[in-house]
Amino acid sequence: MSKKLAIIATKGTLDWGYPPFILASTAAALGYDVQVFFTFYGLQLLKKKLDLQVTSLGNPGMPMPMPMPVLLQALPGMQGMMTSMMKKKMADKGVADLAELRELCQEADVKFIACQMTVDLFEMDTKDFIDGVEYAGAAMFFEFAGESDICLFI
């Protein structure tokens, strides 16, 4: 019987998209049975078109290339600039993009579960999501999470 990893993904920004996919793909490579439950803003990670941004606002631990007051970070266009800088830095360091990591997870049989209640709440169209996603409620996910060796909330 293999070990189990349950991940709850609640964030939908570029920087918060990496942890669930990196942890899930690594665990799957190590032989874990892995399920990721995407809820609220984490559902953005399941969209076919990943148009995710990164912002330092609300993330005081984000390293900045130069000291920048919070007021300047809130100016129009700064989020786009920070997103471009982050994507460039990741590409320069050879970090896989989110779509590649997500595909790697699916190839490794990581189960993606979209929270049906949240999909309904935000009136999301399931046609916007990638193939292979299962739609279910928290109760279904708890069956797996309750037996998991590791459960992470991201």
Side-chain angles (χ1 to χ4, degrees):
M1 188 161 129
S2 66
K3 289 186 175 185
K4 294 180 180 182
L5 169 63
I7 299 174
I8 302 166
T10 64
K11 309 282 192 240
T13 59
L14 178 66
D15 50 334
W16 279 97
Y18 275 86
F21 293 134
I22 290 171
L23 293 167
S25 61
T26 301
L30 293 172
Y32 282 69
D33 183 13
V34 184
Q35 289 188 13
V36 183
F37 185 74
F38 297 87
T39 189
F40 280 79
Y41 313 115
L43 287 169
Q44 299 301 317
L45 302 175
L46 294 177
K47 289 194 171 180
K48 290 176 185 170
K49 184 177 182 206
L50 287 172
D51 187 24
L52 305 177
Q53 299 278 311
V54 65
T55 180
S56 64
L57 296 176
N59 189 0
M62 182 179 184
M64 300 296 286
M66 64 193 96
M68 189 177 299
V70 172
L71 186 59
L72 287 178
Q73 295 173 37
L75 290 174
M78 290 302 289
Q79 185 168 309
M81 184 181 82
M82 285 187 232
T83 299
S84 294
M85 289 171 57
M86 177 73 84
K87 286 181 177 180
K88 183 179 179 339
K89 183 173 196 119
M90 289 176 165
D92 290 347
K93 298 290 183 178
V95 176
D97 70 24
L98 279 180
E100 292 170 330
L101 284 172
R102 184 175 66 185
E103 188 176 315
L104 183 64
C105 286
Q106 287 188 300
E107 289 172 3
D109 294 325
V110 171
K111 188 174 188 179
F112 291 164
I113 304 164
C115 176
Q116 184 66 59
M117 185 225 44
T118 308
V119 169
D120 294 342
L121 175 69
F122 292 134
E123 299 176 355
M124 298 174 118
D125 189 343
T126 57
K127 288 183 261 175
D128 294 335
F129 293 112
I130 58 173
D131 293 333
V133 174
E134 186 174 324
Y135 298 87
M140 187 283 246
F141 178 69
F142 279 129
E143 288 178 30
F144 179 84
E147 298 174 355
S148 70
D149 297 285
I150 302 169
C151 189
L152 302 174
F153 180 82
I154 300 173

